[in-house]
Amino acid sequence: MRVDGPVSLADLVTDRLRLEIVLGHFELGDALSESRIARRYEVSRTPVREAFARLEMEGIVRTEPQSGTYVFTMGRAEFVQVSETRSVLEVGALRLAMRDNGVGLAEAWRTATDNMEVALREGDSRTYSENDAVFHEALFEFAANPYLTMARRSFASKIDTIRNKLGATPEHMQKSFAEHKTLTEAIEAGDVETAATVLDTHIRHKGASFWTVPEVAPETRWDKMQKLANLTPQRR
């Protein structure tokens, strides 16, 4: 890794580690070794430690005292809560974007859906997911409300990670593309209410169609140690 300009090593490590988590290079609940990541990125442990702290604030890693740092986990209940919050923000952003720059939003969505269609046809799930993210980010770009954007950032990386891990099946991409196409056509027709209804359904209910992880989030090594300790008979 090389530093160009004023960007710090901690910035670079944070960005790279976030990207690797989002792209699925680590499993949910995986332990993150400070020393191994330092060797992998060819940096000292100090910027890695700072990256852990920053990513913990974003919610995509968590540190357990005397245990270690782990990639986040998410069960269905939390996913539902995040989806509800996300729907409130995105539907609100949709209305603001249509009020102030509906033409720009329609053009951005058309480009994204065209790219998604090509990716779907070629079976390129990574490119499909990237354009899916671009589609939803456009809402906040054209709403141009910094407070909405800040609220979204609190869980954006989590959503991107879940999307890449669980939404890359051919069946999900087909259903997802149909909904994105309907949204784009509604906005191009100036039908805000239809778009708002479809967007809300798309966000709140799509989890039921592709959520495949267990109801209980994966156990960390610390969880397993605690369970074993509770099961081990105490000597008198």
Side-chain angles (χ1 to χ4, degrees), residues 181-214:
K181 185 177 180 181
T182 298
L183 282 164
T184 300
E185 290 172 349
I187 288 304
E188 288 176 335
D191 189 348
V192 179
E193 294 309 316
T194 294
T197 299
V198 173
L199 181 60
D200 177 70
T201 302
H202 172 71
I203 294 171
R204 288 178 185 262
H205 301 297
K206 74 174 184 178
S209 67
F210 68 81
W211 188 266
T212 58
V213 299

Side-chain angles (χ1 to χ4, degrees), residues 160-171:
D160 289 342
T161 305
I162 296 297
R163 178 190 293 117
N164 288 328
K165 281 189 173 295
L166 306 179
T169 65
E171 296 79 9

Side-chain angles (χ1 to χ4, degrees), residues 2-38:
R2 297 291 181 267
V3 179
D4 295 318
V7 180
S8 70
L9 268 179
D11 292 332
L12 292 173
V13 172
T14 300
D15 290 345
R16 179 171 173 180
L17 184 55
R18 183 194 299 108
L19 181 62
E20 290 196 335
I21 291 172
V22 167
L23 293 180
H25 295 185
F26 298 95
E27 294 299 320
L28 299 183
D30 268 0
L32 299 173
S33 167
E34 201 174 273
S35 57
R36 288 178 184 173
I37 291 176

Side-chain angles (χ1 to χ4, degrees), residues 32-69:
L32 299 173
S33 167
E34 201 174 273
S35 57
R36 288 178 184 173
I37 291 176
R39 288 195 299 270
R40 180 174 177 172
Y41 295 176
E42 299 182 350
V43 297
S44 71
R45 294 173 66 165
T46 300
V48 176
R49 194 175 303 122
E50 186 170 342
F52 283 177
R54 294 182 184 183
L55 295 177
E56 185 167 24
M57 293 179 66
E58 295 179 19
I60 61 172
V61 306
R62 73 178 190 281
T63 300
E64 298 178 3
Q66 300 181 359
S67 175
T69 299

Side-chain angles (χ1 to χ4, degrees), residues 82-94:
V82 171
S83 296
E84 289 173 344
T85 305
R86 182 183 166 202
S87 177
V88 170
L89 295 178
E90 291 201 18
V91 171
L94 171 68

